[in-house]
Amino acid sequence: MEKSALQKERAAYQPKLPKALNGAVKVKEGAPTQSVDNQEEIKNLFPNTYGMPVVEFVESDEPNNKRINVGVILSGGQAPGGHNVITGLFDQIKKLNPENRLYGFILGPNGLVEHDYMELTKEIVDDYRNTGGFDMIGSGRTKLEEEDQFEKGLEILRELDIKALVIIGGDDSNTNACVLAEYYAAKNCGVQVIGCPKTIDGDLKNEQIETSFGFDTATKTYSELIGNIERDCNSARKYWHFIKVMGRSASHIALECALQCQPNVCIISEEVEKNDMTLNQIVDNLCQVIAFRASQGNHFGTVIVPEGLIEFIPAIGRLIQELNDLLAAHGAEYKDLDADAQREYIIAHLSKENAATFETLPADVARQLSLDRDPHGNVQVSLIETEKLLSDMCAAKLEKWKAEGKFVGNFAAQHHFFGYEGRCAAPSNFDADYCYALGTSAAQLIANGKTGYMAIVKNTTRPAEEWVAGGVPITMMMNMERRNGKMKPVIRKALVDLDGNPFKTFVGCRDRWAKETCYVYPGPIQYWGPSEVCDQPTKTLALEHVK
């Protein structure tokens, strides 16, 4: 592997740890817990891992020298900091006992099932300290749901004398970790399973999980790019830039980037849903901003669009839900039809209301809504060019307004989608520290005999030495939801809180941002320099902790 000058220097960075994790620790247990909803159903599904207490690590005078081999899996989409979870895990298990070994399963959960693994030695781990990406062992999206997968995994775990497995992933991956923990606990296999909260989308958070790792780095990366576009926009003064950002199930990335960059418009999907807005209403609101700025001689602007917007428009959301169920049940007879026959099939099998919505959509959008699903049965909304759909509809409406004398000026659009650009960036100081602490916490959860837990770190707007580390039972975050036409236990996603301080702060500014040019240019992530530049958390996290 060739190393850049940055990577060589960055390897020497020693992540900061909470004070309690710097030496021997013991567990302080809280009260028993219950799931966020559907308590009886979740309890019945997870009788061996339900109701466990939240735990916190505190300093101890008694060292723990537990002898244990550990396996680690990177699951789902990449997020900055994943390698530091592994390095924190590695360093801590070696600190517990130098004889301990860490094994990485290749290309995600499938590596466990297919017995594809490598031992992670100091030489390997040192090459990836403070780097982005998941390329140390790769990632994958295989779902661990079936008993034969659990048993195949158990074969290699026993062969390698692995007593604990750490799954680093998002809400679906950690749901799988919980299912696996329950299975191994029920069979008394002697294998612990621990999760770590990963997703740049920011939707894996709650009272116990303040933020998912990767969100800090990804939003700062996107904000740099958006700021660059804003500066170009303010220089040329002739284009409206429609910028789609990641976030299928929630608008956390869009909101954070708006708070950092102050665009003219940022659409928040959760607000669209709450207000029962139609696609035409969204376009009308955009055109009013465009027309006002044109009347002031400003024929340019920036619009941030969350990736999952289309699903949050209530009429389209209802359509997608029925499409998900329809294709889950009858996908086999549908998939081999040609495009025209597929359209006719869908219209014939949808309810009258949803069929009418489907017929009103532009043909390419309707087609994209009925494409293959992702492994979790969801519409692949990142394939839908929502940013272009909005700008095309704005262009058509503005042309009509111009004929009516309601719009004077020019409208020309540019389109951008920021997705992969942020998923593997070199982690910020925050994510480097946070992830190293998560990996260290995962090791301590294992050393203290826990299973079915997710590693957590709290108090993260304070200096790292004041952070509080521990673990939360995964069942505490679960409820029942419909997936692929069936009710399944899943971790509840966290949406943008419309009553929360971050959104209220945004609402208090957006009218001025729409009319004036208030752009902020954040610039690239800084790794060395003043703490207020290098170590600051996201705007969202800071605002959520304002007393």
Side-chain angles (χ1 to χ4, degrees):
M1 178 173 59
E2 298 287 333
K3 294 183 180 179
S4 68
L6 174 65
Q7 187 175 339
K8 290 175 183 175
E9 290 298 319
R10 193 66 177 150
Y13 177 76
Q14 179 55 51
K16 301 178 283 292
L17 277 174
K19 184 180 178 182
L21 290 181
N22 279 313
V25 307
K26 60 184 177 182
V27 164
K28 183 173 77 173
E29 295 191 348
T33 61
Q34 61 180 10
S35 59
V36 293
D37 203 354
N38 312 112
Q39 285 83 15
E40 285 305 312
E41 292 98 321
I42 300 297
K43 184 177 181 179
N44 289 336
L45 289 168
F46 299 92
N48 295 282
T49 52
Y50 188 86
M52 301 182 297
V54 174
V55 300
E56 178 185 329
F57 298 126
V58 294
E59 296 174 87
S60 172
D61 296 328
E62 299 180 13
N64 185 333
N65 300 313
K66 187 165 187 176
R67 174 74 180 89
I68 188 166
N69 290 345
V70 179
V72 64
I73 294 172
L74 292 167
S75 180
Q78 294 75 252
H83 287 153
N84 270 32
V85 178
I86 295 176
T87 59
L89 176 62
F90 176 86
D91 289 352
Q92 189 60 40
I93 66 169
K94 289 294 187 181
K95 188 175 177 182
L96 291 169
N97 190 316
E99 297 300 313
N100 290 340
R101 294 184 171 187
L102 180 64
Y103 294 91
F105 290 97
I106 308 302
L107 292 176
N110 197 57
L112 176 68
V113 177
E114 298 297 328
H115 301 182
D116 190 5
Y117 66 91
M118 63 188 289
E119 182 177 354
L120 300 178
T121 63
K122 184 178 186 302
E123 291 72 27
I124 293 170
V125 170
D126 284 351
D127 263 345
Y128 290 92
R129 292 183 185 274
N130 307 308
T131 62
F134 279 7
D135 45 317
M136 182 193 294
I137 54 175
S139 185
R141 295 185 181 274
T142 299
K143 290 177 69 67
L144 296 174
E145 294 183 303
E146 306 299 331
E147 185 173 339
D148 64 329
Q149 293 176 309
F150 304 158
E151 290 296 329
K152 285 288 290 182
L154 191 57
E155 290 175 11
I156 192 63
L157 295 178
R158 284 174 169 160
E159 182 179 323
L160 298 174
D161 193 29
I162 291 174
K163 299 298 185 183
L165 189 63
V166 176
I167 297 179
I168 303 168
D171 56 334
D172 284 311
S173 299
N174 276 283
T175 295
N176 292 341
C178 191
V179 171
L180 193 62
E182 176 64 29
Y183 182 85
Y184 289 154
K187 295 196 69 174
N188 294 313
C189 297
V191 176
Q192 301 161 251
V193 184
I194 302 296
C196 282
K198 171 234 68 168
T199 173
I200 67 167
D201 287 357
D203 56 12
L204 178 50
K205 66 176 182 178
N206 47 51
E207 289 184 4
Q208 299 297 329
I209 301 171
E210 293 182 351
T211 186
S212 50
F213 81 74
F215 180 76
D216 186 274
T217 305
T219 53
K220 286 172 179 171
T221 301
Y222 296 143
S223 293
E224 177 199 352
L225 298 173
I226 293 167
N228 294 347
I229 287 172
E230 287 180 333
R231 193 146 227 165
D232 183 275
C233 179
N234 199 18
S235 300
R237 303 189 181 184
K238 61 180 180 180
Y239 292 119
W240 274 86
H241 291 264
F242 286 72
I243 306 163
K244 184 171 70 173
V245 295
M246 295 284 276
R248 183 185 66 80
S249 300
S251 306
H252 298 291
I253 290 177
L255 178 58
E256 174 63 28
C257 291
L259 291 169
Q260 289 196 39
C261 300
Q262 302 184 179
N264 299 108
V265 178
C266 175
I267 301 170
I268 302 298
S269 299
E270 291 85 342
E271 184 181 28
V272 168
E273 183 176 55
K274 180 185 177 184
N275 294 336
D276 200 17
M277 295 178 70
T278 65
L279 186 56
N280 279 328
Q281 286 175 316
I282 295 170
V283 171
D284 195 68
N285 290 347
L286 281 169
C287 287
Q288 288 178 30
V289 174
I290 295 167
F292 177 85
R293 286 182 62 80
S295 72
Q296 305 299 300
N298 296 319
H299 305 286
F300 64 95
T302 52
V303 180
I304 296 179
V305 181
E307 176 189 22
L309 172 65
I310 201 82
E311 286 189 283
F312 280 82
I313 298 170
I316 298 177
R318 290 189 290 270
L319 166 63
I320 288 173
Q321 184 60 62
E322 189 174 355
L323 274 174
N324 285 342
D325 291 347
L326 174 63
L327 298 182
H330 303 288
E333 59 192 74
Y334 162 88
K335 65 182 179 64
D336 294 327
L337 301 175
D338 62 39
D340 289 339
Q342 284 185 338
R343 180 178 174 82
E344 291 174 8
Y345 181 94
I346 286 173
I347 292 171
H349 287 79
L350 288 175
S351 64
K352 185 177 180 181
E353 179 189 25
N354 287 333
T357 301
F358 189 82
E359 289 183 288
T360 61
L361 292 173
D364 55 344
V365 174
R367 173 70 182 148
Q368 287 170 323
L369 287 180
S370 56
L371 289 174
D372 291 340
R373 289 344 195 208
D374 70 13
H376 304 295
N378 303 310
V379 171
Q380 299 187 72
V381 292
S382 63
L383 301 179
I384 300 172
E385 296 177 310
T386 317
E387 70 281 19
K388 191 170 189 305
L389 170 66
L390 292 175
S391 76
D392 286 349
M393 292 181 71
C394 283
K397 186 175 285 285
L398 291 169
E399 194 65 32
K400 181 180 177 183
W401 284 9
K402 181 176 280 191
E404 298 170 354
K406 294 165 61 178
F407 174 61
V408 180
N410 302 309
F411 174 74
Q414 297 289 338
H415 309 99
H416 316 267
F417 174 33
F418 296 147
Y420 290 102
E421 294 84 350
R423 299 204 311 177
C424 289
S428 62
N429 284 356
F430 178 91
D431 270 331
D433 296 347
Y434 182 55
C435 290
Y436 192 81
L438 286 172
T440 306
S441 296
Q444 288 292 1
L445 286 169
I446 294 165
N448 284 276
K450 302 301 180 183
T451 190
Y453 274 77
M454 191 184 297
I456 59 170
V457 177
K458 302 174 72 173
N459 206 31
T460 52
T461 56
R462 302 292 300 160
E465 58 268 21
E466 297 177 28
W467 291 357
V468 176
V472 57
I474 301 175
T475 54
M476 184 181 180
M477 299 175 279
M478 299 180 82
N479 67 169
M480 302 296 293
E481 293 179 16
R482 183 172 293 279
R483 297 289 177 89
N484 277 333
K486 297 179 181 178
M487 295 301 292
K488 292 188 175 182
V490 296
I491 294 173
R492 176 180 287 177
K493 290 184 182 294
L495 304 182
V496 168
D497 181 3
L498 301 183
D499 293 319
N501 204 26
F503 180 73
K504 286 183 175 179
T505 300
F506 163 71
V507 170
C509 299
R510 64 179 171 187
D511 286 346
R512 182 169 63 89
W513 296 351
K515 295 174 182 178
E516 302 173 20
T517 302
C518 304
Y519 303 154
V520 174
Y521 315 120
I525 294 171
Q526 300 297 304
Y527 302 100
W528 295 275
S531 182
E532 61 268 23
V533 176
C534 298
D535 299 330
Q536 61 177 328
T538 57
K539 302 281 187 184
T540 301
L541 193 56
L543 287 167
E544 284 173 342
H545 284 74
V546 171
K547 301 298 184 184

